Amino acid sequence: MLTRRSALSWLGVTALLPLTVHAAAGERLYLNAYGEKGGFGLAAFDGDGRIRYQLPLPQRGHSFARRADGRMAVAFSRRPGSFALVFDPVAGTAIRTIAAAEDRDFCGHGAFTADGRLLFATEVVGSTGDGVLGIYDAAADWARIGEVATHGLDPHEMRLMPDGRTLVVANGGILMRADMPRLKLNIADMDPSLVYLDARDGRLLGQVRPATELRQLSMRHIAIDRLGRVAVAMQYEGPEGDPVPLVALHDAPAGAAGLEYLPMPEAERAGMRQYCGSAAMDDSGRYLAVSSPRGNRVLVWDLDRRSMVQTGEARDVCGIAAQVRSGFLASNGLGRMFSLTTETGIGELAAHSRLQWDNHMVIAS
C-alpha cells in the first residue's frame, strides 16, 4: 500500500511567460534545461535547434517527465532538488510549482502513469539517504499523496515500461545526506541496482545488481528498446584506469537474469572516462546512444547486432534524444546542438552561445 504523508505546502503558480513563439501543430519539440548568466531556465526547440520558447527556473534544472498525451510535462531540479515545475510543453506556459516535501529532495527525474493521473518522482530522504518515489496526483492539484521505497540508495532516472504497469528505477547506490550535500559516503560498499516496481501498489517485482567486483558501477540512466529491454548507462566510482563496462542491457521486468554488458572497444571505453551522462533510443528502438560529457563523445550501438556502430565527438556533450525517423539530437554545455546519425556521424546544427545546456534532452511533443 502507498504510505500517506502530511499535506504539501504549495508555492503556487509562478508568473512565467514564454519568451518566443509557440510550436507549430504536429511539430516535434525537444526540451532541455540550461544555465545562463544570472539564472536558469528550460527551453523547447525544434529538430533544427531553433528555440521556440523559454521558461525561467528558480534553480538549476535537470530532466523532465512528459505525459503520454503531450499536454503536460514536469521539469525537475537538479539533485538535491527543491522544486518541480509543471508546465504545458506545447504552449510553453507554467501551471504549478511543486515544493519538495519535508526531508525529501528531488533527484532530477520522474515518470507519469499510463493514464497521466499520477506522477512518480525519484527522491531521497535527506536525513538517511534512502530512495523513494514521491507520488503526486494531477487530479488533486498535484498533491503529494504518498511514496514507495526504491529499495536502494540514490535513485536517479526512472521510466514506465511498455506494459504501462511497471516502473523501472536506476538506484545509483551512493549514500548522500542533506547535511553533507553531494558528499559520497559509501564508495567502498556501494549497492547499485536496477529495480522494477508495480505502479499500482509499489510492490517490488524484481531487482538486479552488478557483480560484487563491479559494485562501484553507479546505475544512473535508462533507455528502453523496442523489445522492452532496459539499457542502463553507468558511472564508475572506482579508479579511472579500471577497465570496467559502462553500458548494459537487462531483459525486463522479471529481474532474474543478470546484466548483459555491451561491447565497447577499449579506446572508446577509456575515452568515456568512466562516466555516462545520458542514454536514449532512436525512433526505431534499435539504436542506443550514450553520451559522456567528461569524455566529449556520444557512442551508438546497434542492439540487434550487439555492436557499436558510431562515435560522435563534441566537447562537453550530454543531452541526447531521438530525431524524427533516424538518428539523434545532442546538446552540450557550450550552447551547441548537434545531429548524429549512424551514416554521417555528428554535425553541428545550431549554437546558442549564451546558454549552457544541462544534462538531459527529452522529446516534448
Side-chain angles (χ1 to χ4, degrees):
M1 297 297 293
L2 304 182
T3 303
R4 292 277 173 173
R5 297 192 58 83
S6 58
L8 187 62
S9 175
W10 301 104
L11 296 180
V13 178
T14 308
L16 304 178
L17 295 175
L19 301 183
T20 58
V21 296
H22 294 172
E27 179 183 34
R28 179 175 289 186
L29 287 184
Y30 301 84
L31 299 169
N32 217 133
Y34 63 81
E36 63 177 338
K37 186 177 181 180
F40 301 97
L42 68 87
F45 48 90
D46 63 22
D48 293 320
R50 293 185 294 256
I51 293 177
R52 296 305 182 124
Y53 65 79
Q54 294 172 250
L55 292 175
L57 295 174
Q59 297 171 7
R60 182 176 174 181
H62 191 69
S63 192
F64 307 84
R66 172 186 172 273
R67 202 166 70 181
D69 65 5
R71 299 299 306 181
M72 197 79 69
V74 179
F76 295 98
S77 50
R78 180 177 183 256
R79 183 193 63 183
S82 62
F83 75 92
L85 176 69
V86 184
F87 65 104
D88 183 327
V90 176
T93 52
I95 297 170
R96 166 71 70 187
T97 302
I98 304 172
E102 182 180 356
D103 199 30
R104 302 293 184 270
D105 294 315
F106 289 114
C107 294
H109 292 267
F112 281 93
T113 51
D115 63 5
R117 175 168 179 170
L118 297 181
L119 170 73
F120 290 85
T122 51
E123 301 175 4
V124 291
V125 180
S127 56
T128 67
D130 292 320
V132 297
L133 300 184
I135 306 167
Y136 300 83
D137 190 344
D141 200 24
W142 302 96
R144 192 179 193 275
I145 62 172
E147 64 181 34
V148 295
T150 70
H151 302 275
L153 301 171
D154 185 29
H156 201 61
E157 189 162 13
M158 63 173 299
R159 298 284 180 110
L160 181 68
M161 295 293 293
D163 64 10
R165 299 186 303 274
T166 305
L167 297 168
V168 57
V169 184
N171 283 317
I174 301 173
L175 175 61
M176 288 183 284
R177 296 203 308 260
D179 58 343
M180 293 178 280
R182 307 198 74 79
L183 182 63
K184 301 170 183 178
L185 302 174
N186 69 330
I187 294 302
D189 58 354
M190 288 170 52
D191 185 23
S193 64
L194 192 67
V195 168
Y196 301 94
L197 304 173
D198 192 317
R200 296 167 294 186
D201 57 11
R203 180 168 52 94
L204 178 65
L205 301 175
Q207 188 167 20
V208 62
R209 292 177 168 89
T212 302
E213 63 270 21
L214 295 175
R215 68 188 310 163
Q216 289 176 309
L217 277 174
S218 181
M219 294 187 173
R220 311 303 297 172
H221 298 110
I222 295 171
I224 300 172
D225 76 2
R226 62 185 177 188
L227 300 179
R229 298 171 299 191
V230 178
V232 190
M234 295 170 281
Q235 299 168 11
Y236 185 59
E237 297 294 335
E240 187 163 326
D242 285 357
V244 297
L246 295 172
V247 184
L249 275 181
H250 185 251
D251 235 341
L259 297 168
E260 176 190 352
Y261 296 104
L262 292 181
M264 191 183 310
E266 175 56 22
E268 295 298 345
R269 191 211 62 77
M272 298 287 276
R273 296 189 60 193
Q274 309 289 38
Y275 189 94
C276 297
S278 192
M281 298 299 306
D282 79 331
D283 270 5
S284 74
R286 174 177 175 177
Y287 294 96
L288 168 70
V290 175
S291 65
S292 173
R294 291 183 185 175
N296 304 311
R297 65 193 63 209
V298 181
L299 306 183
V300 181
W301 282 265
D302 180 338
L303 295 185
D304 286 357
R305 299 180 179 181
R306 298 295 202 281
S307 61
M308 207 185 78
V309 294
Q310 187 60 266
T311 301
E313 295 188 6
R315 185 179 171 191
D316 197 27
V317 63
C318 196
I320 44 176
Q323 285 183 302
V324 177
R325 289 183 292 279
S326 67
F328 300 90
L329 292 182
S331 60
N332 75 355
L334 303 177
R336 291 176 170 81
M337 295 180 182
F338 307 89
S339 174
L340 173 64
T341 71
T342 57
E343 294 82 14
T344 61
I346 197 166
E348 187 170 316
L349 280 178
H352 305 280
S353 57
R354 66 182 180 83
L355 303 180
Q356 297 173 314
W357 297 115
D358 219 285
N359 293 52
H360 298 293
M361 181 191 300
V362 303
I363 296 170
S365 64

